[in-house]
Amino acid sequence: MNRRNAESRKSKRTRIKSLVFLPEELIVQILSYLPVKSLMQLKCVSKAWNTFISDPKFIKIHLEQSKKNTQILCMSRGSYILPFFSLNTLLSNPSVISSTKNYFPSDPDYQYQFIGSCNGLFCFLLLHMTKFPRKFLFQLWNPATNTLSNKFVQQFHSRLFSTRFAQQSLPRIHGLSFGYDNSTDTYKIVLFESNKLEIFSLCSNVLKIIKLPHMGPLQKWDYVPRCRFLSEAVYLNDTINLLVRENAKKIVIISLNLNTDTYTKFLPPQDFVEVIPNLPTIHVLEDSLYFSHHTQKTHFIIWKMKEFGIDKSWTQFLKISYEDLDIHNKYGCSLAPLCLYENCSIALVQGETDGRLQVIVYNWFENRIEKIRMVKRMNWMFNQNYVESLVPTS
């Protein structure tokens, strides 16, 4: 028995030594394909492996590889954290919403509100449940490594963060968004309010304010109409993009460059005519910006910006009739795209009058639909691009 153990240990040493002769470039390439869970286990092999896998250069290489396998998460934004699911899981088993428990390592002394996701990190707004005056905090979480950052404190200049407002329960703040500045390797939180943007850098703890003359939100942030999908700010390639009203009438898109903290403005598609009460929305699908809206209470139209930042490059991607979607309640119909499939299909989320949601998978090539109704009542739902990563939270 001892002889066999000795031979086994000798064999293991031989295999480990053989790894030393592998070129570092090859080791990096092999490891970059592994999931985060496997890499976290390999960090325990030795100090050298731990150092290698924790190196910022390798983390960036692994992140770029992970982006090729982006997942679509479905989330419900509210005062408290709700479970989030991959879209494929949700479509195959809608009852998962009722049966799954949240595994986020939250602090019971705080209320949490999801702000956004970027490079595998989730950003949350926190509000202490009992302490007065209440302070608004932010925290990052990496679900793949299950690590939390320290709590960031920032007092925005917005009335939403005033002492008067903070005495109440956590407001539903829809002007907050989260993104990444690649030039400085910094994560930023952006708050949009009438006539200004407030940009908070988590790395330097610096707050910067940009004036937006005569520009305001599409509607009040503290009012969430049932069965409506509010226009959220979306992150795309170091920019945060949001729909705003200019001079209280015209709808435009503001694109904030997080590298320079400057913004540009571009117009929605020329054929867009606002139809109340259904507000337009913007989305990121397959690394492109999309704009969707209703028209004449008969059709839902989706546009794609073929060249980012060039408003003349808007191209009508789909025009779907309510009839083809088997939608009969034309008044107050709410739709938003969730994701695209390679087989000429698109997943749309629809709000219903009873507060429930359903997902419609529409194949425009075969003009065929499949409806999946959510089991649990959710006021609204949105899609979130997510990739597993080793990115640290601090």
Side-chain angles (χ1 to χ4, degrees), residues 47-66:
K47 289 184 178 180
W49 278 94
N50 182 40
T51 301
F52 178 79
I53 296 173
S54 302
D55 186 272
K57 292 183 180 178
F58 174 75
I59 290 175
K60 287 188 175 181
I61 293 172
H62 180 265
L63 176 61
E64 291 305 311
Q65 191 65 256
S66 295

Side-chain angles (χ1 to χ4, degrees), residues 100-166:
T100 302
K101 293 184 178 180
N102 185 14
Y103 56 89
F104 175 73
S106 57
D107 187 331
D109 292 333
Y110 290 88
Q111 287 181 327
Y112 288 72
Q113 179 176 310
F114 177 77
I115 301 302
S117 173
C118 179
N119 293 346
L121 297 181
F122 284 17
C123 180
F124 295 96
L125 168 67
L126 288 71
L127 175 67
H128 202 282
M129 298 284 286
T130 58
K131 290 183 180 179
F132 293 92
R134 290 177 171 175
K135 289 184 178 180
F136 290 86
L137 309 173
F138 297 93
Q139 194 167 27
L140 302 182
W141 176 48
N142 186 325
T145 60
N146 198 27
T147 53
L148 278 170
S149 71
N150 294 325
K151 297 179 177 70
F152 301 92
V153 182
Q154 176 56 49
Q155 192 71 22
F156 283 97
H157 291 257
S158 167
R159 67 175 181 84
L160 296 173
F161 292 85
S162 66
T163 302
R164 175 184 62 80
F165 211 81

Side-chain angles (χ1 to χ4, degrees), residues 243-303:
L243 288 170
V244 304
R245 285 197 186 278
E246 187 176 34
N247 296 317
K249 294 181 180 180
K250 183 172 62 174
I251 291 180
V252 298
I253 300 172
I254 293 297
S255 181
L256 173 67
N257 187 317
L258 295 177
N259 296 336
T260 60
D261 287 343
T262 58
Y263 75 91
T264 55
K265 179 180 69 174
F266 43 89
L267 300 174
Q270 290 185 353
D271 292 343
F272 164 68
V273 177
E274 183 180 358
V275 179
I276 300 296
N278 297 304
L279 294 171
T281 55
I282 54 175
H283 311 271
V284 173
L285 303 173
E286 297 184 336
D287 292 325
S288 294
L289 187 66
Y290 285 76
F291 179 94
S292 63
H293 65 94
H294 297 259
T295 180
Q296 299 176 348
K297 297 184 180 180
T298 59
H299 288 79
F300 184 64
I301 304 178
I302 303 173
W303 302 79

